[in-house]
Amino acid sequence: MEIAITGIGAISAIGNDVQENLASLMAKKTGIGKAELLSSRLTETHLFGEVKLSNDQLKAGLNWKGDAVSRTTLLSAWAMKEAIEQSGFEMDNQVGLVSSTSVGGMDRSEDFFEPYYLEQDFSNVFLLGTHDCGTCTKQAAAHFGITGYATTISTACSSAANAIAMGSRLLRQGKLKRVIVGGTDALCRFTANGFNSLMILDTEWCKPFSANRAGLNLGEAAAYLVLESKEDAEARGATIHGLVTGWANTNDAYHQTASSPDGNGAFMAMSQALEKAGLQSSDISYINAHGTGTQNNDQSESIAIHRVFGAQKPPISSTKAYTGHTLAAAGAIEAVYSLLALKEQTFLPNLNYQDPIEDNDWKPQLEVESGDINHVLSNSFGFGGNNSTVIFSKA
Amino acid sequence: MYLGAASCISYQDTFGGENPWSTLAEVTAESQLLQPDYKEFVSPAALRRMSSALKMGVAGGKSCLQKAGLESCDAITVGTGLGCVRDTLKFMKVMYEEAEAGLSPTSFIQSTHNSIAGQIALLLGNHGYNMTHVQGGLSLGYALSDAELLIGEGDAETVLVGAVDEKTEELVELLTKLAATANYELPTIGEGGAFFLASKERLPSSIAKVVELSMTNDPTVTPKSVTPPLSRGGTGSLNQGQSEEKLPSLQGGVGGGQADLVLSNTGEGFNYVKYSGEHFTSIGFGLFLALKAFEAGKVDNPYVSFNHPKRILVHHQLLGQEMSILLETV
C-alpha cells in the first residue's frame, strides 16, 4: 500500500497556516525573536520562536469553549483543522489520530503551580485536569469527533516523526482507513528552564551546522498530516501532497540526552528508512536535517549523514533557525516543510550559517533554489537516544 | 501476537515469580510497593539518581527479558499515563522557589516521558524501535497495539511492552484536590510497573495469545471486545469478599468466543485494582494476574476460584477511557 498525504496543516512562529509558513520560508524570514506571550524570566535573556496568536485568539478561531484547555491542545486543534478541511473527508469511526507532545498541558499546569508552590494556593487546581499529554489528544479528538483510535506518542524531540510512522503502519495493516498524524508543543517555563539548565540554549539566533553554533532556540508549533491509502485518495479525487515512503526509529543507546560521537542511532535510522522505502542514498534529493544548532547534535548528525551519503550528499538544511526547535512538533512541522519542498521543487535554506564545521566536506543549502526534488529525507532526534527518519516522496 | 514472559512490580508478591493469586491483599493508602533489590539490575551510582518510575522500568524490563530467556529484544514500547511525575514535580518546585535560576538539569532530563524506555535501551544496549505512549488509561493498550503493528509489519519478532506509573505523596494530594473540584470520588491511588514479552511466534515462555485488543477515548463507545455487554452467570464462582454474585462471563463475544473469567475495575468481574491501587496503567497488573492464572491453570484465593481458564478478559475503565484485552491460553 502506498501512503498518501491528502491534507497538511501547520502553525508556527513563521505563520498561522501552511501558506504563511511557505511565504516566510521563501522570504528567508525567521520567526524567532523576543517572546511576547510566554511568561518566564528567560524571555529577558533568550529568544523564542513563538506563535503570534494568543490563547484567546486561538480559541476564537476554533470556537473553543471552556477554560480548562492548554495552549498545546489549542495549537494542535488549529493545525488539525487546516489539515482536515484541506483533505476534505467525512469524519467517521475509521478515522484515527496519532498525535504527539513532550510537555502536554504544562503551560496551564504552570498557572496552577506558581501560586501553589509560592503561596500554597490551590485555587487553580482544576487546570491539572489538562496536564497530561493524553488529555491534549483526547480533547482535540473530541473537538473533531474522532471517536476511534487516538494515541499520543511522547519521545521528546522525535515524537511527531514517530507519529507519522505509526500512522503509516496503521494504514498498511488495515487498522484504519484514514489517520491524522503529527505533533504539538507550546512554549512553557518548564521546557525553557529545562533546556537552559542543560546549557544548550543560544541567547542569539541559532546557527545550525555553523562551526560557531552555540545552542538552540526553543519554539512552539503544531503540524498535522492526513494520511490514507493512495488508492482511496485517488478514488475520491483528493489532492495528494506527497507519499510517506520510508520510516525508521532506532535507539542510540549511548546517553540519556547526548548523541553518540559516531552518530550510530542517526545512521541506523536513515539507513533503515531508506531500506523501508526501497531507495538508495543517491535517490534522496534533499535532507531536512534535525540540525538544532547545538554542538553535540550537529556534529553527530553530520557524521551520521556522511556515513550514509558519503561524498555524494544532496542539498542539506535545517529549518530550525526559522521556527526554533519545536520539540515534539518538530518532526511534523518539518514534514510539512519537506512536502512544500517537494511541491515547490525548491530547496529550503539554512539561516544564520557562518563557518563550516571542521570535518564537514559540505555546507548547508543557503539560498532558496529550485531543483529536481523526488525524495526528501527528514531527521528528528530526541532525548532518550530516540532517532527517527521519515522519507517523503513525490506522488 | 503472543504474550509472556511477564514481570510485575506491585503491592503484591508478583516479582518473585510465585503465583500471587493466593496471597492477594487489598491496597490501602498506606500500602508500600514490594520492591525488588534494584541493585541486581542497575549500578548503585545510577540507582541513586533514579526515580521510582525509572527503577520499576529498568528492573521490570530487564527481569521480563531474563524470564523469557532473551538477552535483548527487537523493540521496546512503554505505556505510561503520567510518566516521570516525581522528577517533573521536583523540577517544577525548584524552578519556582529559585525564581528560574541555578537549576540542575538532572530532574528535567529524567522528567521526559520516554526516559523509562530510553533507560531500558541504554542499559541493554538495545538499538531497536523505542516508543512511549501516553494516553491516560489506554497507555498500555496503545503500547501493545504498537507492538502488534510492528510485528504485523515484519519489523519485529519480539517486543518488550511495559506499563509504568509512579505515585508520590504530593501527587496524591494534588489528585485529591483536583477530584474534589469535579465531585469525583478518588479511588485508592497506587503505582506499579508491569512488563510483557510480546512475540510473533509462540516462544517457550509464551503464556497467552491476544485475541482482541480494544481501546476507546469516547465514553459513549463500548470497546469491541466487551460487546455485547458483560452478562451474568459464568462458570466460576466469586467467593465472599468481592461479591456474592456469580462471575460474569462474555456470552457470544468477539469471534463468537467467550471469556470464562473477567478481570475488571468496574465491579463486573474480579476487581484486580483493589490489589494494585488505581492508576493509569493499573491494567498492567490485571494483565499480569491473567497470565499467572493461565500459567497455574487455576485461580484459587478467598475471593475467586476457577479451574483451567481458557479465555480471560482484562478490562479497565477510567475517566471516560475504556480498554479491554481478551486473552486465550496457549
Side-chain angles (χ1 to χ4, degrees):
Chain A
M1 179 193 288
E2 287 187 287
I3 309 294
I5 297 144
T6 58
I8 50 176
I11 181 167
S12 76
I14 61 167
N16 299 334
D17 59 27
V18 172
Q19 279 311 312
E20 285 184 21
N21 272 269
L22 176 63
S24 299
L25 289 169
M26 295 303 174
K28 295 176 74 174
K29 195 178 135 210
T30 183
I32 297 167
K34 192 169 165 45
E36 305 287 340
L37 299 166
L38 175 66
S39 159
S40 164
R41 267 183 59 174
L42 296 178
T43 57
E44 294 160 21
T45 48
H46 289 72
L47 305 173
F48 292 90
E50 192 170 60
V51 167
K52 306 301 179 268
L53 297 179
S54 69
N55 287 2
D56 285 342
Q57 288 171 311
L58 291 166
K59 276 193 204 175
L62 288 163
N63 197 18
W64 192 286
K65 305 281 178 245
D67 187 40
V69 61
S70 67
R71 184 169 175 81
T72 301
T73 304
L74 293 171
L75 290 173
S76 81
W78 186 278
M80 274 172 65
K81 184 168 182 272
E82 185 184 11
I84 292 170
E85 285 175 359
Q86 194 188 81
S87 178
F89 61 86
E90 209 142 299
M91 192 61 73
D92 60 26
N93 62 6
Q94 282 298 295
V95 179
L97 171 63
V98 183
S99 188
S100 60
T101 173
S102 69
V103 286
M106 192 67 89
D107 60 295
R108 298 309 308 280
S109 303
E110 288 171 357
D111 293 342
F112 161 73
F113 278 113
E114 184 169 18
Y116 163 67
Y117 278 129
L118 298 179
E119 294 150 36
Q120 287 72 55
D121 175 357
F122 280 94
S123 48
N124 286 334
V125 73
F126 75 99
L127 289 173
L128 292 185
T130 67
H131 170 82
D132 70 293
C133 300
T135 294
C136 295
T137 301
K138 197 171 145 183
Q139 285 181 325
H143 186 74
F144 295 105
I146 298 166
T147 57
Y149 203 98
T151 185
T152 312
I153 284 174
S154 194
T155 56
C157 309
S158 55
S159 302
N162 293 331
I164 295 167
M166 184 164 178
S168 303
R169 283 200 307 273
L170 280 162
L171 293 176
R172 288 238 293 222
Q173 294 186 46
K175 301 274 182 194
L176 294 172
K177 202 165 166 54
R178 202 165 280 124
V179 58
I180 300 159
V181 296
T184 178
D185 257 329
L187 282 168
C188 63
R189 270 164 279 186
F190 188 87
T191 36
N193 280 280
F195 279 87
N196 192 44
S197 75
L198 284 162
M199 297 189 285
I200 53 171
L201 292 181
D202 195 338
T203 52
E204 299 170 1
W205 280 341
C206 66
K207 300 174 276 291
F209 295 114
S210 194
N212 62 344
R213 66 199 180 281
L216 58 87
N217 304 137
L218 282 173
E220 62 183 351
Y224 288 84
L225 318 177
V226 177
L227 308 182
E228 59 195 293
S229 77
K230 190 180 172 193
E231 207 181 340
D232 285 353
E234 283 172 346
R236 70 182 182 95
T239 303
I240 298 176
H241 298 268
L243 306 174
V244 188
T245 50
W247 56 83
N249 170 263
T250 67
N251 200 282
D252 203 25
Y254 171 74
H255 185 270
Q256 179 60 26
T257 54
S259 305
S260 60
D262 53 6
N264 246 339
F267 168 76
M268 290 186 290
M270 286 185 272
S271 307
Q272 290 176 22
L274 283 167
E275 197 185 321
K276 174 79 80 186
L279 296 173
Q280 304 293 322
S281 62
S282 54
D283 295 325
I284 297 297
S285 331
Y286 163 59
I287 299 174
N288 187 295
H290 188 53
T292 56
T294 64
Q295 279 295 330
N296 180 238
N297 177 81
D298 294 6
Q299 180 75 37
S300 178
E301 187 175 10
S302 291
I303 289 166
I305 288 173
H306 187 72
R307 284 175 66 187
V308 177
F309 290 87
Q312 304 300 314
K313 296 177 189 73
I316 302 166
S317 69
S318 159
T319 46
K320 294 282 195 301
Y322 283 96
T323 57
H325 187 358
T326 62
L327 308 179
I333 202 86
E334 287 156 31
V336 169
Y337 296 169
S338 298
L339 291 163
L340 290 174
L342 274 173
K343 184 168 166 244
E344 304 293 324
Q345 292 288 293
T346 301
F347 300 115
L348 304 174
N350 188 110
L351 307 180
N352 309 332
Y353 175 83
Q354 289 167 359
D355 303 303
I357 293 174
E358 202 183 316
D359 295 329
N360 280 3
D361 59 356
W362 56 279
K363 61 178 189 179
Q365 176 71 25
L366 299 178
E367 298 301 329
V368 175
E369 192 183 330
S370 325
D372 193 10
I373 305 183
N374 293 312
H375 304 283
V376 180
L377 181 146
S378 173
N379 281 336
S380 297
F381 308 141
F383 282 1
N386 209 279
N387 294 111
S388 302
T389 299
V390 183
I391 297 172
F392 301 96
S393 303
K394 224 161 92 174
Chain B
M1 181 169 77
Y2 293 90
L3 289 183
S7 186
C8 181
I9 296 165
S10 71
Y11 296 91
Q12 313 297 332
D13 186 14
T14 46
F15 197 77
E18 298 302 310
N19 185 351
W21 276 98
S22 53
T23 55
L24 292 179
E26 272 194 43
V27 169
T28 67
E30 285 74 40
S31 297
Q32 297 289 322
L33 273 187
L34 293 182
Q35 303 191 65
D37 183 3
Y38 289 119
K39 289 195 293 295
E40 285 177 28
F41 304 95
V42 202
S43 73
L47 208 50
R48 271 195 297 278
R49 290 192 301 272
M50 282 186 174
S51 64
S52 42
L54 290 179
K55 286 180 201 168
M56 290 190 286
V58 296
K62 279 181 111 175
S63 71
C64 180
L65 288 177
Q66 279 170 9
K67 285 180 188 171
L70 298 175
E71 292 279 319
S72 201
C73 51
D74 298 334
I76 300 168
T77 67
V78 167
T80 177
L82 286 174
C84 297
V85 69
R86 185 184 300 272
D87 279 311
T88 304
L89 291 169
K90 198 167 154 188
F91 190 79
M92 185 77 86
K93 185 164 193 274
V94 178
M95 181 173 88
Y96 284 115
E97 288 177 350
E98 304 299 322
E100 300 186 59
L103 286 151
S104 142
T106 309
S107 51
F108 174 69
I109 292 167
Q110 297 191 158
S111 74
T112 318
H113 287 87
N114 68 321
S115 56
I116 303 168
Q119 281 290 329
I120 299 171
L122 193 56
L123 285 170
L124 294 173
N126 186 300
H127 294 292
Y129 183 86
N130 193 279
M131 210 47 55
T132 300
H133 288 268
V134 185
Q135 196 56 44
L138 310 179
S139 302
L140 173 60
Y142 284 114
L144 284 163
S145 172
D146 201 343
E148 210 170 29
L149 290 168
L150 274 183
I151 287 171
E153 181 85 9
D155 287 343
E157 298 211 334
T158 54
V159 185
L160 179 66
V161 183
V164 178
D165 268 299
E166 65 182 352
K167 164 179 124 166
T168 77
E169 256 179 61
E170 187 180 21
L171 175 67
V172 175
E173 186 189 3
L174 295 176
L175 290 177
T176 306
K177 301 264 190 198
L178 174 62
T181 66
N183 285 322
Y184 174 72
E185 197 190 333
L186 196 70
T188 303
I189 300 297
E191 60 182 327
F195 280 81
F196 308 94
L197 199 279
S199 59
K200 182 183 180 203
E201 306 294 340
R202 184 177 168 179
L203 304 176
S205 59
S206 297
I207 300 168
K209 180 163 89 178
V210 178
V211 179
E212 178 75 44
L213 174 66
S214 184
M215 287 82 70
T216 173
N217 272 295
D218 185 337
T220 63
V221 178
T222 308
K224 243 196 314 190
S225 53
V226 282
T227 311
L230 304 178
S231 56
R232 302 280 166 191
T235 41
S237 67
L238 275 183
N239 303 331
Q240 72 216 8
Q242 279 253 338
S243 160
E244 292 302 315
E245 294 176 65
K246 287 277 190 187
L247 259 187
S249 69
L250 244 195
Q251 305 286 357
V254 177
Q258 175 177 316
D260 37 32
L261 185 60
V262 176
L263 310 183
S264 172
N265 70 336
T266 60
E268 304 255 350
F270 181 76
N271 189 356
Y272 59 91
V273 165
K274 284 188 175 181
Y275 312 100
S276 63
E278 190 61 282
H279 53 91
F280 280 130
T281 48
S282 59
I283 192 169
F285 176 76
L287 185 51
F288 181 83
L289 281 187
L291 294 176
K292 285 289 162 186
F294 285 134
E295 209 174 40
K298 63 173 182 179
V299 173
D300 193 12
N301 79 4
Y303 314 114
V304 57
S305 41
F306 198 90
N307 282 321
H308 308 299
K310 290 218 163 39
R311 281 190 162 196
I312 302 179
L313 179 78
V314 191
H315 174 252
H316 189 239
Q317 201 180 55
L318 190 65
L319 303 171
Q321 293 181 315
E322 196 168 351
M323 163 182 174
S324 65
I325 175 166
L326 183 61
L327 300 168
E328 189 174 272
T329 188
V330 294

